[in-house]
Amino acid sequence: MREDVEALDIRDVTANWVNAAVLSRQIDDRVKALADLSDTPLFFGRLDYLHAPGEDRAEGASGEQFYIGRRHVHDADGDPMVIDWRAPVSQPFYRASKKDPMDIGLRRRFGYTGGDLTAYEDERLSDPAEEATTSKLLQREIERPRVGPMRDIVATIQPEQDEIVRSGLGGTVCVQGGPGTGKTAVGLHRVAYLLYAHRERLARTGTLVIGPNKSFLHYIEQVLPALGELSVQQATVDDLVAQVEVRGTDEASAAVIKGDARMAEVLRRALYSHVSLPTEPVVVVRGSRRWRVPAYELEELVRQLLDREIRYGAAREALPQRIAHAVLVQMERAGEAPDDRVQDAVARNSAVKAAVKAIWPAVDPAKLVLRLLTEPEFLDEHAAGILDEDERRTILWAKPVRSVKSAEWSAADAVLIDEAADLIQRTHSLGHVVLDEAQDLSPMQYRAVGRRCTTGSATVLGDLAQGTTPWATRSWDEALGYLGKQEGVIEELTAGFRVPTDVITYASRLLPYIAPGLTPVASVRENPGFFEVRAIEGADQVVAACEELLANEGSTGLIAADARIPALAEALTAAGIGYLAPGEETTRERRLTLVPASLAKGLEYDYVVLDEPGAVVDGEPDERTGLRRLYVALTRAVSGLVVTHTAPLPEQLAGSVHVL
């Protein structure tokens, strides 16, 4: 298939060099999409239908057999050999069961080792004599060691996951999922499915995946290309709102207020305070004639634009045309016959431009936010009745700033500037946005994301128990409201595929303190995993634990409080153990990653050494946030976890556990 594309000759089918360039780029993208992946088989399953799909199910009718894979594959004659996992005919591979066989006589799963076919397993779903069994190949695939970036899960998608993946483009879906429930994979595979089902529409409107940090985006960036999808953009929220350089940081109290949704109304008031009702007429001179638009008529035009609640910038652009139209009406009454060119000329008249500048001046969003943060009187005027006096004083900058460029903007300030920019000029909307690790966003950040999908839909992914910011999401209903997607459907994933039973059971001891009422994750892993808590005396024993786990196949992560990272890095170097930073790709030669607890979210390793849980908790501004950070760190392991500590463990983890 790839060779056929490479052999295409476009010289006689393009009308000009522009068409040739576009077609050539499309061919290059197609070749990339058809790239071979050495460890990725073309098919992983087979379905034997009792009857041909879509045909009469009369007794004696012949069935049909389909191989299911990551990509559609056809032979030299164009006949299908492998059916794309997203096709409707593939759906029973994920949803069929003994209770509901969906007209499937046999479902076969194939097992691979390093890209070589090594096993297969059959389920005769329509045979009443055969009992339902747990797939060994499925378990083995779920527990396969993690080396390198995140991979697709098309061979292991579960029915509840498949239902979310195949939900329609028109609706927004919010997925609450605990550690290891596959919510990130579900979100990425939903994008792949939507691109398959609505390719032309999304090719026009675009798709975007938003992650919490660059390390996370690097970890997931190969999933969609492996499924042949190359057009999806990736970014962090900070990337989206990067209209100014962020060089400063906020105290937690100030960041919480700046991230509060009430700031949107403060910004709106401050922006529209620049509009002033006219007190003088506009006189337009054309040739020997003078046309006068009185102040009361100008005031009516301004009030009409304000009442329409259109964007500040759009209204400012419309005002000169409204004034010009009023002049044209007078011209017509005087017997003239002006056309659109005359109206445009009047709108550009110096008197009209001067009036618009005085009535509806241009506003720079960064300068607007700078005034609010540096001028107490301006903030007091427009935040009155919204923020109390203490809140206003908290967000005011202590030192005056000369200009926008010299200001040390924080990440929260950049979000405010983005909000102001949208009040002035509407933000471009995409067709679909995936927002991962959403529980850590502030209401204003949700609004920033929501602006990117006002005419599209969203997939929101997160876990309320893993919220580690002072402004962490309290409920998904609230989050969807800030996002502008109140109609969104909330789904919950509670089956854990990544974290071993003993590990998730231990971590779940924290749930009553960090997210009361949230359903604990129930691991479906048959392997309980390796889990120990070790009281140690020094960093050399942490290094020893890493060496012990590195003897196993797969990746190892050493997770510790941010403040302890330099000391552990020094200990590893002294022991001659090389290590990677989060986001750097593991290889078979370098399999240890040193991870600050603040960057652990969304990452996974076959084995984890968690150093000093108490220090992880103490590294946060409050106990609940610290316990949530600890919950994240405890749940990064796929096969085994060793917890090491010299200081006492947090009392919330107290209880019966295997301690060495």
Side-chain angles (χ1 to χ4, degrees):
M1 290 170 66
R2 186 173 62 252
E3 288 169 357
D4 287 345
V5 177
E6 290 173 334
L8 288 174
D9 186 350
I10 63 172
R11 287 175 296 181
D12 297 329
V13 297
T14 54
N16 52 55
W17 69 270
V18 175
N19 290 348
V22 171
L23 190 54
S24 178
R25 188 183 67 183
Q26 291 175 342
I27 289 174
D28 288 343
D29 287 345
R30 178 66 173 160
V31 170
K32 291 176 184 176
L34 290 171
D36 287 319
L37 302 175
S38 58
D39 292 338
T40 304
L42 287 175
F43 63 93
F44 51 80
R46 194 184 94 187
L47 290 176
D48 291 2
Y49 275 81
L50 296 175
H51 308 87
E55 295 186 5
D56 185 19
R57 296 191 180 185
E59 189 174 343
S62 60
E64 201 165 350
Q65 186 180 97
F66 300 96
Y67 284 86
I68 311 300
R70 288 165 175 77
R71 303 294 312 280
H72 169 83
V73 181
H74 61 247
D75 61 19
D77 297 322
D79 295 325
M81 299 175 66
V82 179
I83 305 298
D84 194 301
W85 66 276
R86 297 166 286 189
V89 76
S90 303
Q91 189 171 351
F93 186 80
Y94 303 108
R95 303 241 189 134
S97 64
K98 292 291 291 185
K99 290 183 178 180
D100 182 14
M102 299 177 70
D103 199 43
I104 300 299
L106 180 141
R107 172 169 57 199
R108 174 169 289 178
R109 299 181 192 274
F110 295 96
Y112 292 85
T113 301
D116 295 326
L117 178 63
T118 55
Y120 68 88
E121 181 182 75
D122 290 345
E123 297 172 86
R124 302 186 186 280
L125 298 175
S126 297
D127 185 353
E130 186 172 302
E131 295 183 1
T133 58
T134 301
S135 169
K136 301 295 183 185
L137 286 181
L138 188 63
Q139 282 288 332
R140 195 167 75 188
E141 175 65 21
I142 289 172
E143 296 176 10
R144 185 156 58 97
R146 267 72 171 162
V147 175
M150 183 180 180
R151 58 178 182 256
D152 65 76
I153 61 163
V154 290
T156 62
I157 293 174
Q158 299 299 293
E160 65 272 20
Q161 295 174 325
D162 187 66
E163 188 173 340
I164 297 170
V165 167
R166 295 178 192 266
S167 54
L169 177 60
T172 288
V173 179
C174 176
V175 183
Q176 158 64 40
T181 54
K183 55 186 178 295
T184 296
V186 165
L188 294 174
H189 287 67
R190 187 179 181 217
V191 170
Y193 172 77
L194 293 175
L195 286 167
Y196 174 88
H198 308 278
R199 190 166 300 281
E200 289 187 7
R201 179 175 171 184
L202 289 177
R204 293 193 308 269
T205 56
T207 51
L208 173 67
V209 174
I210 302 173
N213 52 57
K214 296 292 186 184
S215 298
F216 178 84
L217 292 177
H218 181 70
Y219 177 61
I220 68 170
E221 67 183 357
Q222 295 303 318
V223 175
L224 290 168
L227 299 174
E229 303 300 345
L230 305 172
S231 61
V232 179
Q233 301 298 310
Q234 295 185 347
T236 64
V237 173
D238 290 344
D239 294 333
L240 297 183
V241 301
Q243 299 189 40
V244 293
E245 182 183 357
V246 173
R247 295 182 295 152
T249 56
D250 284 313
E251 294 289 335
S253 56
V256 169
I257 298 168
K258 290 178 181 180
D260 194 299
R262 294 175 296 165
M263 288 299 299
E265 177 59 19
V266 176
L267 288 165
R268 193 198 65 80
R269 285 186 185 180
L271 175 63
Y272 281 91
S273 71
H274 291 78
V275 179
S276 57
L277 295 177
T279 57
E280 300 291 333
V282 171
V283 179
V284 176
V285 178
R286 284 184 60 82
S288 60
R289 302 293 301 271
R290 293 163 59 88
W291 307 98
R292 182 176 181 275
V293 181
Y296 72 85
E297 191 171 343
L298 292 173
E299 180 178 335
E300 185 178 352
L301 294 177
V302 172
R303 291 190 184 279
Q304 287 174 355
L305 289 172
L306 289 172
D307 291 343
R308 287 185 60 190
E309 296 185 350
I310 60 177
R311 293 294 194 278
Y312 184 94
R316 186 176 186 277
E317 292 171 3
L319 183 56
Q321 290 291 335
R322 295 288 185 95
I323 296 172
H325 178 73
V327 172
L328 259 64
V329 170
Q330 294 184 28
M331 290 180 176
E332 289 170 350
R333 288 173 180 166
E336 296 189 17
D339 56 17
D340 290 345
R341 289 174 298 178
V342 174
Q343 180 166 328
D344 290 340
V346 172
R348 295 193 300 269
N349 182 274
S350 59
V352 174
K353 290 166 73 173
V356 170
K357 184 177 181 180
I359 297 168
W360 210 296
V363 177
D364 177 82
K367 289 181 179 178
L368 177 71
V369 174
L370 189 63
R371 281 194 71 189
L372 282 171
L373 298 178
T374 58
E375 298 182 18
E377 297 81 5
F378 191 66
L379 178 61
D380 289 344
E381 179 183 355
H382 302 298
I386 301 175
L387 303 179
D388 62 35
E389 185 175 351
D390 287 342
E391 290 173 321
R392 298 198 293 270
R393 298 291 82 79
T394 298
I395 64 173
L396 273 172
W397 290 358
K399 298 179 181 179
V401 178
R402 290 184 179 181
S403 67
V404 167
K405 288 188 176 180
S406 64
E408 292 191 0
W409 299 105
S410 68
D413 297 333
V415 177
L416 295 178
I417 293 170
D418 189 72
E419 177 85 27
D422 183 72
L423 287 168
I424 296 169
Q425 203 72 42
R426 184 183 297 276
T427 305
H428 173 68
S429 175
L430 300 164
H432 192 77
V433 170
V434 174
L435 175 60
D436 205 352
E437 299 294 349
Q439 72 279 348
D440 275 338
L441 267 61
S442 70
M444 291 298 284
Q445 287 176 314
Y446 276 117
R447 288 175 63 89
V449 174
R451 288 192 281 278
R452 272 75 186 177
C453 56
T454 50
T455 58
S457 55
T459 302
V460 181
L461 312 165
D463 180 12
L464 297 178
Q466 295 186 60
T468 52
T469 56
W471 50 83
T473 304
R474 292 176 294 186
S475 80
W476 292 122
D477 285 324
E478 272 189 23
L480 290 172
Y482 297 136
L483 201 65
K485 303 294 181 184
Q486 294 87 342
E487 76 290 348
V489 176
I490 301 173
E491 303 281 358
E492 187 170 10
L493 296 175
T494 58
F497 304 99
R498 170 168 55 79
V499 186
T501 302
D502 289 353
V503 174
I504 196 63
T505 300
Y506 183 68
S508 294
R509 295 178 180 181
L510 299 176
L511 285 180
Y513 306 96
I514 61 176
L518 205 62
T519 304
V521 172
S523 178
V524 299
R525 301 274 296 273
E526 291 187 346
N527 180 359
F530 172 76
F531 174 54
E532 289 181 359
V533 177
R534 300 179 181 178
I536 62 171
E537 296 179 357
D540 58 328
Q541 290 175 279
V542 178
V543 172
C546 292
E547 290 178 311
E548 179 184 331
L549 295 182
L550 284 168
N552 300 305
E553 184 183 4
S555 59
T556 297
L558 171 54
I559 303 176
D562 293 30
R564 289 184 56 79
I565 292 296
L568 291 173
E570 185 177 336
L572 289 171
T573 301
I577 300 177
Y579 59 90
L580 303 166
E584 292 183 319
E585 190 171 319
T586 56
T587 65
R588 299 195 184 280
E589 292 73 34
R590 294 171 67 85
R591 296 181 290 115
L592 176 66
T593 304
L594 180 57
V595 187
S598 62
L599 296 180
K601 191 170 298 179
L603 304 179
E604 59 182 25
Y605 303 94
D606 287 291
Y607 294 90
V608 167
V609 176
L610 174 59
D611 172 66
E612 289 295 353
V616 173
V617 176
D618 294 341
E620 300 298 328
D622 61 86
E623 184 180 65
R624 188 167 108 155
T625 302
L627 290 172
R628 287 182 167 185
R629 185 75 72 190
L630 177 59
Y631 181 72
V632 171
L634 284 168
T635 53
R636 300 303 96 200
V638 175
S639 298
L641 170 67
V642 174
V643 177
T644 60
H645 68 101
T646 54
L649 292 170
E651 61 181 16
Q652 293 84 355
L653 287 177
S656 176
V657 67
H658 180 38
V659 179
L660 293 184

